[in-house]
């Protein structure tokens, strides 16, 4: 990201033109935008802008932003505080948008740790600006989305990461078993504003809408109390960013589709499937040129051409099951990420009780299970369940602490004298003794009754 002049942010009273900081954690939106029903009207300046600012559209946008429960922007106003603020200030904001004088506030920079190290930078707009962006999205997406390639799956109504993975499986099943796996270097930080606005202007004739979008692109970014100007990039975190990313990257999609290539793209993650290594190298060379036209760089360290089997795509990978059968599996990296999260929840230090642990597992595991429901390797989930229960048995032993307590608790749960005495005699060696016949006492049913979720 290219940053220009920096200016210190001075705290002020809550309001659209004031400044401050918000501390709540940001939450990402789901893949799909939910457009409100649109009547057939001309796409003239007044009609399109009035669609965005219509009461019906703005109410739908507010409900969406409220449902997402996102954090405050630089003004420090929560969703609840913004609701009260809008009751008195919305007419003025609406008038400014209508006459072209509205200026979005800077976004608040937050960093989210990546599972494989490093951080992902997000830009959190104020709640007011998120609502306006959402209102724009609800009007523009139904107009623009039908023009996108059918092989683009990210952040589009009725499409998901699962569709992209299934498309990849179908290509491999057809014999396209070499993949060109392209990773763009800091894509959301490097979007060229002029190129993006040029591509957007070819789809939208409304200059007022285009001017408002450019101002959102150029809104500064606040980090450590300092607001810096931004001349490129579209920060992740605002409702409009995914649509703008698709507008820019669709140009490459259309070229690939015109040339008859098999590909699947989800946001900036694009895989092209070919029959040979040489064909893959040719495609990669071509892609470098196509992305260069958009002033985007390919991350050479993460980009590769190679066999499709075992290559991670959206958390999944493909496995050769037989000569003619390709199955979907959870990628090893995703399994390790799952284990890291479970290790964090089930640490044997920190004083958490089993009830609190069960609650945290219920918050995490069902979502993970739902996302990876396409996997055709159920033994993976069985092994992860077994591994998780192993950790829970070790925790339970530590909670009982002394050999005497361990013995009496195991006996009350139906263990015979020999087994209870054997495990109680190893008090302090929680991990090792969580294997020694303890699964016959602390059974799957035992953890089910505690509310521990299962993947299988």
């Amino acid at each position: 990201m290219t940053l220009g002049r920096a200016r210190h942010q001075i705290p002020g009273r809550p309001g659209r033109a004031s400044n401050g900081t918000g501390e709540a954690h940001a939450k990402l939106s789901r893949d799909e935008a939910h457009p409100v029903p649109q009547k057939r009207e001309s796409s003239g300046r007044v009609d399109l802008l009035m669609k965005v600012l219509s009461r019906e559209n703005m109410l739908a946008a507010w409900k969406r932003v409220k449902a997402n429960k996102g954090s405050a922007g630089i003004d420090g106003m929560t969703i609840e505080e913004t609701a009260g603020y809008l009751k008195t200030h919305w007419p003025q904001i609406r008038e400014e948008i209508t006459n072209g004088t509205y200026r979005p506030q800077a976004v608040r920079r937050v960093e989210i740790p990546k599972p494989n190290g490093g951080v992902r930078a997000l830009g959190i707009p104020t709640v007011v600006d998120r609502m306006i962006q959402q209102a724009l999205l609800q009007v523009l997406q139904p107009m623009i989305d039908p023009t996108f390639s059918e092989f683009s799956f990210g952040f589009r109504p009725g499409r998901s990461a699962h569709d992209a993975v299934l498309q990849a499986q179908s290509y491999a099943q057809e014999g396209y078993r070499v993949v060109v796996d392209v990773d763009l270097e800091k894509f959301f930080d490097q979007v060229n504003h002029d190129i993006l606005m040029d591509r957007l202007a070819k789809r939208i004739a409304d200059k007022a809408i285009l001017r408002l979008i450019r101002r959102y692109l150029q809104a500064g970014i606040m980090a450590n109390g300092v607001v810096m100007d931004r001349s490129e990039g579209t920060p992740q975190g605002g409702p409009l960013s995914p649509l703008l990313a698709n507008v820019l990257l669709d140009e490459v999609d259309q070229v690939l589709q015109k040339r008859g290539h098999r590909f699947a793209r989800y946001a900036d993650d694009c895989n092209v499937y070919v029959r040979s290594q040489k064909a893959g190298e040719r495609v990669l060379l071509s892609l470098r040129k196509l992305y260069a036209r958009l002033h985007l760089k390919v991350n050479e360290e993460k980009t590769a051409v190679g066999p499709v089997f075992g290559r991670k795509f959206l958390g999944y990978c493909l496995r050769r099951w037989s000569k003619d059968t390709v199955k979907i599996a959870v990628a090893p990296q995703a399994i390790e990420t799952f284990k890291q999260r479970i290790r964090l929840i089930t640490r044997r230090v920190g004083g958490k009780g089993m009830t609190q642990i069960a609650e945290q597992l219920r918050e995490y595991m069902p979502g993970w299970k739902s996302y990876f429901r396409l996997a055709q390797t159920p033994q993976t989930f069985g092994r992860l369940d077994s591994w998780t229960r192993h950790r829970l048995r070790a925790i339970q032993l530590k909670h009982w602490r002394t050999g005497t307590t361990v013995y009496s608790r195991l006996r009350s749960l139906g263990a015979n004298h020999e087994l209870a005495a054997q495990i109680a005699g190893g008090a302090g060696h929680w991990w090792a003794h969580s294997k020694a016949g303890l699964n016959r006492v602390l059974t799957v049913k035992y953890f089910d009754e505690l509310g521990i979720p299962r993947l299988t």
Side-chain angles (χ1 to χ4, degrees), residues 206-226:
D206 189 323
K207 292 183 179 179
I209 295 290
L210 293 172
R211 180 170 59 244
L212 182 57
I213 291 175
R214 182 179 276 277
R215 284 178 179 167
Y216 272 114
L217 290 173
Q218 294 175 335
I221 186 164
M222 178 178 176
N224 300 319
V226 177

Side-chain angles (χ1 to χ4, degrees), residues 390 392-443 447:
H390 186 184
L392 292 172
R393 291 185 183 106
I395 290 173
Q396 187 65 88
L397 286 178
K398 183 173 183 182
H399 286 175
W400 289 338
R401 298 180 66 85
T402 66
T404 302
T405 303
V406 170
Y407 177 84
S408 62
R409 288 297 185 92
L410 291 179
R411 289 288 284 161
S412 69
L413 290 170
N416 59 39
H417 167 74
E418 290 77 11
L419 178 59
Q422 176 188 356
I423 297 174
H429 303 285
W430 316 119
W431 181 253
H433 284 276
S434 65
K435 287 183 176 180
L438 191 58
N439 61 328
R440 300 202 300 270
V441 185
L442 304 186
T443 61
F447 291 111

Side-chain angles (χ1 to χ4, degrees), residues 299-316:
N299 187 330
E300 299 296 344
E301 291 184 3
K302 296 182 179 180
T303 296
V305 178
V308 70
F309 298 114
R311 189 79 186 176
K312 181 173 74 72
F313 182 47
L314 301 176
Y316 285 93

